[in-house]
Amino acid sequence: SPSLSHLVSHLVSQSLSQSLSSKRSYLGQLNDPHRVGLIDDPAMVRWQYARTHNVYPNFRPTAKTSLLGLLMSVVPIVGLTVFFYRDRKKTVAAIESGSADRTFKMYG
């Protein structure tokens, strides 16, 4: 029976030959002057899949992810609401006192 080192050596050489074959095929398609359409790079397809479609099976809710979710969703809404409320309040007070520059007023 073949020893473990021969088996590992065979598997590594097989993997390298598949990798080189895939690379050769991709570069042949990439450099084809009569190419029509897009080329799928298998490595990029796997990377895109892992990055976009495979998120939730690997997601673990932790304190950090919960805090980041809160910071990215609730805080901007509350912050913008407070900002616009204060700005509008200041503008209305300036209009009522007559000190506002209303050069481009749309109404009233």
Side-chain angles (χ1 to χ4, degrees):
S1 79
S3 68
L4 185 61
S5 64
H6 290 316
L7 183 62
V8 169
S9 171
H10 176 70
L11 289 175
V12 168
S13 65
Q14 186 179 11
S15 174
L16 283 174
S17 68
Q18 286 176 348
S19 175
L20 288 174
S21 171
S22 176
K23 183 177 181 179
R24 193 178 307 115
S25 169
Y26 175 72
L27 288 174
Q29 292 175 16
L30 182 66
N31 296 320
D32 182 13
H34 305 293
R35 176 182 68 220
V36 179
L38 298 175
I39 302 171
D40 284 336
D41 183 3
M44 287 299 294
V45 170
R46 285 192 307 271
W47 184 77
Q48 278 295 106
Y49 175 78
R51 186 165 184 240
T52 56
H53 299 295
N54 199 21
V55 175
Y56 293 109
N58 299 320
F59 175 74
R60 286 192 323 245
T62 61
K64 180 182 175 182
T65 56
S66 300
L67 182 63
L68 282 174
L70 183 71
L71 286 174
M72 297 295 174
S73 60
V74 175
V75 171
I77 294 171
V78 171
L80 286 172
T81 303
V82 168
F83 172 76
F84 286 123
Y85 175 77
R86 287 181 180 170
D87 183 60
R88 183 67 189 157
K89 192 175 177 181
K90 184 176 74 172
T91 304
V92 168
I95 290 170
E96 288 175 352
S97 70
S99 64
D101 179 24
R102 307 238 6 208
T103 306
F104 300 106
K105 67 179 183 177
M106 300 288 277
Y107 53 90

